[in-house]
Amino acid sequence: MQLNLNKPICFFDLETTGVNITTDRIVEIAILKVHPNGKEESKRWLVNPTIPIPKEVTAIHGISDEDVADKPTFKEVAKEVYNLIKDSDLGGFNSNRFDIPLLAEEMLRAEVDFDMKNRLAVDVQTIFHKMEQRTLSAAYKFYCDKNLEDAHTAEADTLATYEVLKAQIAKYDDLENDTKFLAEFSSRKQFADFAGFIAYNKNGEECFSFGKHKGKLVTEILEAEPGYFGWLLNADFPLYTKKVLTSIKLRSLNNKLG
């Protein structure tokens, strides 16, 4: 089974200091890049998160403060990571809700202008949950009849995710071997940002999905309450959410000038 690709796709997995997208940091990233011709290339980085790794988190992925003390920070490897993925769609396991949002935060924090405008995201976990309702280790056993050794190491999880997706396509006739189809199938509710603060309505317009303006158009609120935009930028929202809000505001201003 070879994936039917129009452009490369990078399967990736993160090990982190925790699960808070805004405040936690990457300690390991592994990427498996698959090209349309079937060629594969992989890269792995251990990263100094610049904050302590909690002992309970080390117990899960096995990476301690000592393991990364002499490793580069994410800012030091960000451009190398970006250069590997910049021409690619992205794939992962629970990647739409965790890995991609956290990667975006780290990229923006490192002053690398990362966004998802021209790339698709295939979340293998969502496909799995829609079809079988299980976990990565169970998925690997179910689809590939293999035991997942070294679970919670980025390299093992990345390779398993790639193999599970190929097995899913082979197993289900209603899954198309097409990245766009798989991205749409594995997406959940559509949001303009990763964290889910800005949703699309039925007309494809951005609306706030929280607070006193829930359900209202972002463009209308930013025009009616200019101070609200400033508050959002200074509040504790993810950097990618702020990037999306700024883009909407600039687009609105350009439309007026046009």
Side-chain angles (χ1 to χ4, degrees), residues 3-158:
L3 294 183
N4 183 20
L5 302 174
N6 294 317
K7 63 191 292 189
I9 182 169
C10 284
F11 294 92
F12 78 104
D13 186 70
L14 306 178
E15 302 302 338
T16 66
T17 59
V19 295
N20 187 304
I21 291 168
T22 304
T23 60
D24 279 305
R25 301 289 188 268
I26 294 171
V27 298
E28 182 184 21
I29 177 171
I31 299 175
L32 174 64
K33 185 171 186 175
V34 183
H35 295 265
N37 63 4
K39 177 187 173 183
E40 300 173 10
E41 55 181 309
S42 61
K43 181 73 176 178
R44 170 181 174 263
W45 296 263
L46 277 174
V47 178
N48 185 333
T50 70
I51 62 174
I53 304 173
K55 290 182 179 179
E56 61 270 23
V57 177
T58 294
I60 295 173
H61 55 49
I63 301 171
S64 66
D65 291 330
E66 292 74 20
D67 294 327
V68 295
D70 62 346
K71 301 302 179 184
T73 64
F74 188 83
K75 187 170 186 177
E76 292 173 311
V77 302
K79 288 185 178 178
E80 186 181 0
V81 173
Y82 180 75
N83 286 336
L84 185 59
I85 68 174
K86 64 183 180 181
D87 63 343
S88 306
D89 294 324
L90 297 178
F93 199 86
N94 193 34
S95 48
N96 284 357
R97 291 192 294 175
F98 181 71
D99 298 84
I100 292 176
L102 185 54
L103 178 64
E105 288 299 291
E106 288 277 43
M107 284 289 191
L108 293 174
R109 201 175 288 119
E111 301 179 346
V112 175
D113 189 19
F114 174 88
D115 63 48
M116 293 292 292
K117 288 180 181 177
N118 298 312
R119 69 177 92 234
L120 301 171
V122 178
D123 193 328
V124 176
Q125 185 194 61
T126 303
I127 295 174
F128 182 38
H129 285 178
K130 283 186 174 183
M131 293 297 189
E132 303 294 344
Q133 307 291 311
R134 311 236 178 136
T135 64
L136 179 56
S137 294
Y140 199 50
K141 182 67 176 177
F142 182 86
Y143 289 110
C144 306
D145 196 25
K146 299 177 183 177
N147 293 318
L148 179 53
E149 306 294 340
D150 299 322
H152 294 297
T153 61
E155 280 188 299
D157 288 357
T158 297

